[in-house]
């Protein structure tokens, strides 16, 4: 985990360059230039550099009838993509050049589409008859293929679709029983059942396993870039599966962290060895941040509003929605900002380094 003092100093410099804004006091962001509900045209007035203090990131946020692509540095809404009203989710390829959107539209039913990250231009689209297993059933394989988790009364399985073109490539993984979360990294894919805590893993190269040990009644699950799986319960039990292991191992929960973990309130931050957990407490909400290589290195930071729809993270920021807005928090300093009002039922889906 990077030095808190160094990042705090950079954050102060960023505040100064913004004219002395007090980011500890969250308020509505200034109206951001944005286009109408289309995926092609985009505003050209967009300052993406902010003196180079941070690299650009773009967070994708679902709200009623749309996905908004919101940039980190100036909270600019690059474009909006119309979506259906059910099971809206997104996942990107590892370079962050393209992303997939899965939704259920009234006109077409289950729909999978490919878009350019930079412009929002649609590249491919297909419809299907089998619904995804849950709200978090879309991921990407190490080679960029789109993966969709599906389920019936007996088992769950993962169907693959060709990179960009979305040509069906058949079932690549199966698990007996429940499965409602699909996780992926460059080394493996996992199906997780929140109710039972059962986990099945597959490297999509012929090696598969069922994880020994379970932690029932999970609030959320996340996978790091090296394949480490983290699971957490609402009542503050934390466990992990190491990259080359098939055993779930408990991790100590810091005694000073109290509260209830919010649904899907765990995220691993690519770009640093750190993870974040969101908790609701009697006095509001907190983000608990720990180094994944040493949980003794940890921070707590107060949030403005309880996160809804989970967390997404890309170091040095985590993103969450509250009310109609998308917000970000610095994982080292705790500085908070409201980015944009994106509409009712805001839910963070994905963040890319673009």
């Amino acid at each position: 985990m990077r030095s808190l003092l160094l990042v705090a100093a950079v954050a102060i410099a960023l505040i100064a360059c913004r004219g002395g804004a007090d980011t500890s006091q969250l308020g509505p962001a200034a109206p951001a230039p944005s286009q109408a509900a289309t995926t092609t045209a985009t505003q050209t007035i967009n300052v993406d550099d902010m003196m180079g203090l941070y690299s650009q990131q773009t967070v994708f946020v679902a709200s009623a009838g749309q996905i908004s692509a919101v940039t980190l540095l100036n909270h600019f809404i690059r474009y909006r993509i119309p979506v259906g009203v059910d099971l809206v989710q997104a996942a990107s390829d590892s370079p962050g050049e393209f992303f997939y959107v899965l939704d259920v539209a009234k006109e077409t039913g289950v729909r999978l589409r490919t878009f350019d990250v930079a412009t929002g231009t649609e590249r491919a689209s297909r419809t299907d008859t089998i619904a995804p297993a849950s709200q978090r059933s879309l991921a990407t394989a190490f080679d960029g293929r789109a993966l969709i988790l599906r389920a019936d009364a007996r088992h769950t399985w993962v169907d693959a679709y060709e990179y960009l073109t979305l040509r069906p490539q058949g079932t690549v993984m199966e698990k007996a029983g429940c499965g409602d979360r699909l996780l992926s990294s460059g080394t493996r894919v996992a199906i997780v059942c929140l109710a039972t805590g059962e986990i099945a893993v597959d490297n999509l190269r012929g090696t598969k396993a069922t994880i020994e040990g379970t932690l029932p009644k999970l609030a959320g699950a996340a996978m790091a870039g090296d394949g480490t799986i983290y699971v957490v319960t609402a009542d503050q039990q934390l466990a992990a599966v190491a990259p080359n292991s098939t055993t779930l191992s408990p991790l100590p929960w810091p005694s000073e962290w109290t509260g209830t973990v919010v649904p899907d309130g765990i995220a691993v931050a690519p770009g640093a060895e750190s993870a974040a957990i969101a908790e609701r407490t009697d006095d509001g909400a907190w983000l608990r941040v720990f180094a994944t290589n040493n949980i003794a290195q940890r921070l707590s930071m107060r949030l403005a509003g309880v996160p809804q729809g989970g967390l997404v993270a890309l170091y040095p920021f985590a993103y969450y929605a509250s009310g109609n807005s998308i917000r970000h928090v610095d994982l080292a300093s705790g500085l908070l900002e409201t980015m944009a009002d994106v509409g009712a039922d805001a839910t963070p889906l994905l963040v890319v380094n673009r």
Side-chain angles (χ1 to χ4, degrees), residues 94-281:
S94 57
E97 296 178 353
F98 300 95
F99 67 103
Y100 303 106
V101 172
L102 178 64
D103 64 347
V104 179
K106 183 179 299 184
E107 302 80 8
T108 62
V110 179
R111 176 175 56 176
L112 179 64
R113 291 175 288 171
T114 309
F115 295 91
D116 287 327
V117 165
T119 64
T121 301
E122 182 177 309
R123 291 303 183 93
S125 177
R126 66 171 294 110
T127 57
D128 217 328
T129 57
I130 305 176
S134 71
Q135 189 67 50
R136 293 178 179 261
S137 297
L138 179 65
T140 52
F142 58 86
D143 55 6
R145 287 177 295 169
L147 304 176
I148 299 178
L149 178 65
R150 294 186 161 113
D152 61 22
R154 299 177 297 103
H155 75 307
T156 56
W157 69 96
V158 177
D159 288 335
Y161 296 85
E162 190 174 67
Y163 181 55
L164 297 183
T165 68
L166 304 180
R167 182 173 63 87
Q169 295 193 317
T171 298
V172 296
M173 180 182 179
E174 293 183 82
K175 173 190 174 297
C178 160
D180 45 23
R181 293 295 182 271
L182 181 63
L183 312 176
S184 68
S185 71
T187 60
R188 62 180 173 180
V189 175
I191 298 174
V192 181
C193 176
L194 297 183
T196 65
E198 296 171 318
I199 304 172
V201 295
D202 195 318
N203 67 359
L204 303 187
R205 299 179 178 92
T207 302
K208 58 187 67 178
T210 299
I211 300 303
E212 299 177 11
T214 60
L215 189 58
K217 300 180 181 179
L218 296 174
M223 184 181 287
D226 65 359
T228 302
I229 301 168
Y230 295 91
V231 294
V232 66
T233 65
D235 61 356
Q236 303 181 317
Q237 298 179 72
L238 181 65
V241 183
N244 298 314
S245 172
T246 57
T247 301
L248 184 70
S249 300
L251 297 176
W253 187 273
S255 59
E256 71 273 19
W257 291 0
T258 60
T260 302
V261 177
V262 303
D264 293 305
I266 183 169
V268 179
E273 295 179 331
S274 63
I277 298 173
E279 287 195 287
R280 178 195 294 270
T281 63

Side-chain angles (χ1 to χ4, degrees), residues 17-96:
C17 86
R18 290 186 176 181
D22 179 6
T23 57
S24 67
Q25 299 297 318
L26 282 178
S34 60
Q35 66 177 73
T38 176
T39 62
T40 52
T42 183
Q43 293 277 359
T44 57
I45 302 173
N46 182 13
V47 181
D48 275 346
D49 186 15
M50 291 299 289
M51 301 176 66
L53 292 173
Y54 294 110
S55 62
Q56 183 61 283
Q57 297 180 6
T58 301
V59 60
F60 294 86
V61 193
S63 56
Q66 64 184 6
I67 291 177
S68 301
V70 187
T71 60
L72 164 70
L73 297 181
N74 59 357
H75 306 166
F76 177 83
I77 299 179
R78 283 182 175 171
Y79 49 81
R80 294 184 174 94
I81 295 172
V83 294
V85 295
D86 195 20
L87 296 172
V88 179
Q89 43 204 295
S92 73
D93 65 345
S94 57

Side-chain angles (χ1 to χ4, degrees), residues 127 331 337:
T127 57
L331 292 171
E337 283 195 280

